[in-house]
Amino acid sequence: MERKCFSTPWSRSIFLSEITRNDNAIYIVAVVAERIVGYAGIWIILDEGGHITNIGVDPAFRRQGIGRGLLEELTLQAMCRGGIIAMTLEVRLSNYEAQALYRKLGFEPSGIRKEYYQDDKEDALIMWRELVEKRTNVGN
Ligand SMILES: CC(C)(COP(=O)(O)OP(=O)(O)OC[C@H]1O[C@@H](n2cnc3c(N)ncnc32)[C@H](O)[C@@H]1OP(=O)(O)O)[C@@H](O)C(=O)NCCC(=O)NCCS
């Protein structure tokens, strides 16, 4: 599925290492009729918040709310386990589908990382989502 979703897919060994050795990572899958149809991951980074590493949904199961469900569940787990207050990610400038999903969940564009993707040097859009409302000081 990773190969179906990404032009520079992570290898099996990267996934194994992430799942078994990275204590600061959370990975979840979406299952339909005992078949994995989507997955998503996040790194919990102190002082930064949660950094979404990847999210992919099997093309045959897209536009059914699975991507949204994965992100919502990942957010809940990261907030409970890591106490994060914000989340960030990079997305290809041309990846309108993913950007639409992120915007729907409250992520906002905050900058560009030039030539971020190694295969074709495409720029990445950086997006952030605050998970708690900013407090404002009210004088008495
Ligand atoms: C991005 C991706 C994970 C979305 O998964 P999905 O399960 O299809 O997303 P959902 O069904 O939960 O969509 C939720 C909302 O996102 C937006 N969205 C998702 N896909 C969209 C598309 N192709 N066009 C426009 N909006 C889209 C819509 O607002 C949608 O809500 P709606 O269906 O009620 O209109 C999926 O397209 C994918 O795996 N893409 C390839 C991998 C990838 O690009 N990952 C992101 C890397 S940064």
Side-chain angles (χ1 to χ4, degrees), residues 26 44 46 49-50 75-86 131-132:
I26 302 173
I44 295 171
L46 289 179
T75 307
L76 272 179
Q77 291 206 17
M79 286 174 82
C80 291
R81 218 196 293 178
I84 60 164
I85 55 167
L131 297 172
V132 288

Side-chain angles (χ1 to χ4, degrees), residues 30-47:
V31 177
V32 172
E34 296 184 18
R35 172 178 162 191
I36 292 177
V37 296
Y39 57 97
I42 190 169
W43 288 335
I44 295 171
I45 301 170
L46 289 179
D47 300 330

Side-chain angles (χ1 to χ4, degrees), residues 15-109:
F15 274 106
L16 267 178
S17 160
E18 279 289 302
I19 292 166
T20 57
R21 296 198 197 141
N22 187 349
D23 291 338
N24 297 319
I26 302 173
Y27 286 89
I28 60 172
V29 294
V31 177
V32 172
E34 296 184 18
R35 172 178 162 191
I36 292 177
V37 296
Y39 57 97
I42 190 169
W43 288 335
I44 295 171
I45 301 170
L46 289 179
D47 300 330
E48 186 182 344
H51 193 137
I52 303 280
T53 55
N54 45 19
I55 174 164
V57 173
D58 186 320
F61 288 83
R62 288 184 189 163
R63 293 310 288 269
Q64 298 177 38
I66 292 172
R68 182 184 184 139
L70 280 165
L71 271 182
E72 284 175 343
E73 177 62 25
L74 203 57
T75 307
L76 272 179
Q77 291 206 17
M79 286 174 82
C80 291
R81 218 196 293 178
I84 60 164
I85 55 167
M87 288 165 64
T88 186
L89 54 85
E90 289 93 11
V91 55
R92 283 179 184 271
L93 273 187
S94 62
N95 192 346
Y96 301 113
E97 297 87 358
Q99 287 174 34
L101 168 65
Y102 299 141
R103 281 175 201 271
K104 195 157 198 176
L105 287 170
F107 284 85
E108 291 174 4

Side-chain angles (χ1 to χ4, degrees), residues 93-128:
L93 273 187
S94 62
N95 192 346
Y96 301 113
E97 297 87 358
Q99 287 174 34
L101 168 65
Y102 299 141
R103 281 175 201 271
K104 195 157 198 176
L105 287 170
F107 284 85
E108 291 174 4
S110 72
I112 299 284
R113 279 195 218 293
K114 296 295 284 180
E115 301 184 357
Y116 180 74
Y117 295 96
Q118 287 172 359
D119 57 339
D120 59 2
K121 306 271 180 258
E122 183 171 355
D123 296 344
L125 179 67
I126 306 164
M127 300 183 85
W128 277 92

